[in-house]
Amino acid sequence: DTEVTQTPKHLVMGMTNKKSLKCEQHMGHRAMYWYKQKAKKPPELMFVYSYEKLSINESVPSRFSPECPNSSLLNLHLHALQPEDSALYLCASSRGFGTSGYEQYFGPGTRLTVT
Amino acid sequence: GQQVMQIPQYQHVQEGEDFTTYCNSSTTLSNIQWYKQRPGGHPVFLIQLVKSGEVKKQKRLTFQFGEAKKNSSLHITATQTTDVGTYFCAGKGTGTASKLTFGTGTRLQVTL
């Protein structure tokens, strides 16, 4: 199974709502990532988890809160978002994270609209 | 911070023509990866290059890593409509915890 799943596929939320994005992989990967992608732009790294510990936080605003409950699951909790946070949120996983490069497997993404 | 630029931003070719996208990093890389993202899809890994001057081929696709490990290219021979999408290079820095930085991308359109 080389699949990364993400739910929901689409999400519309108001600026006062709290919602969560979910990501799951069953490839035994030990690194998981959240990316944000705006239209016609490259994916921008938000967070990296390695062995369930937060390794990188790319100075993401606190209204985005990641969580890695176990090695297969990654959540992104959303609160008090702004309209400019509307984007495609991609989850990815890889065998490891470190000096050697590891190919990343991406999920289909959650298309988020903040109204 | 590390910046990775790609040219051209967009290219439109007739089916059967060749296509090349170029990737340049502001810093030396430990390795470079290439991804393809179809319209409405997610990035899919194509290949990783690690050694200075490395060349790898996948059918009609040829990937090169520069001698200085700061640039790379992807060449597609005889494009097909299935090659449509955005091609991203992604460079990994040389530090232990260096992240992968995606290039700006080249969008390829192929028409009959």
Side-chain angles (χ1 to χ4, degrees):
Chain A
D1 182 6
T2 58
E3 193 181 22
V4 176
T5 58
Q6 288 187 244
T7 55
K9 281 189 169 49
H10 300 275
L11 178 62
V12 179
M13 60 186 288
M15 290 190 283
T16 57
N17 291 159
K18 283 186 183 181
K19 296 285 185 184
S20 295
L21 309 185
K22 296 185 184 304
C23 174
E24 191 166 5
Q25 57 87 14
H26 294 288
M27 294 178 276
H29 288 175
R30 302 316 301 259
M32 295 187 78
Y33 311 76
W34 280 116
Y35 287 88
K36 173 182 176 181
Q37 187 176 30
K38 292 275 206 179
K40 299 188 178 180
K41 296 289 185 186
E44 284 178 41
L45 184 67
M46 299 174 73
F47 303 103
V48 180
Y49 274 83
S50 178
Y51 287 86
E52 299 157 52
K53 287 194 167 66
L54 185 64
S55 290
I56 293 182
N57 174 343
E58 287 287 287
S59 303
V60 179
S62 59
R63 57 185 184 269
F64 295 91
S65 175
E67 178 196 19
C68 189
N70 60 56
S71 59
S72 300
L73 291 173
L74 187 65
N75 299 322
L76 186 63
H77 304 297
L78 315 172
H79 172 57
L81 295 192
Q82 305 295 309
E84 59 264 29
D85 296 322
S86 298
L88 180 67
Y89 287 84
L90 293 161
C91 172
S93 71
S94 64
R95 253 187 321 119
F97 178 74
T99 310
S100 301
Y102 296 95
E103 66 180 272
Q104 295 187 16
Y105 291 78
F106 283 81
T110 294
R111 178 76 57 189
L112 174 67
T113 303
V114 181
T115 60
Chain B
Q2 181 184 356
Q3 291 187 330
V4 182
M5 305 295 290
Q6 282 181 252
I7 55 169
Q9 281 189 333
Y10 171 75
Q11 187 146 15
H12 183 179
V13 299
Q14 300 283 327
E15 191 177 48
E17 292 181 337
D18 292 356
F19 159 78
T20 304
T21 172
Y22 299 92
C23 172
N24 289 286
S25 170
S26 58
T27 58
T28 303
L29 302 171
S30 64
N31 57 70
I32 196 153
Q33 298 177 3
W34 284 89
Y35 290 80
K36 177 184 178 181
Q37 186 171 18
R38 291 180 190 271
H42 57 274
V44 174
F45 175 82
L46 294 176
I47 209 158
Q48 176 172 277
L49 304 169
V50 178
K51 298 176 187 171
S52 168
E54 188 170 13
V55 178
K56 286 189 176 180
K57 293 191 177 188
Q58 284 180 350
K59 297 183 182 176
R60 294 178 295 105
L61 277 60
T62 302
F63 304 84
Q64 291 190 335
F65 200 8
E67 294 291 339
K69 299 184 79 172
K70 292 182 73 173
N71 56 69
S72 181
S73 64
L74 158 59
H75 179 81
I76 302 178
T77 303
T79 54
Q80 300 174 357
T81 53
T82 53
D83 295 326
V84 165
T86 299
Y87 292 85
F88 292 104
C89 62
K92 186 160 177 55
T94 53
T96 308
S98 288
K99 62 176 185 175
L100 204 61
T101 300
F102 277 77
T104 47
T106 295
R107 188 159 65 94
L108 173 64
Q109 180 63 27
V110 182
T111 50
L112 293 170

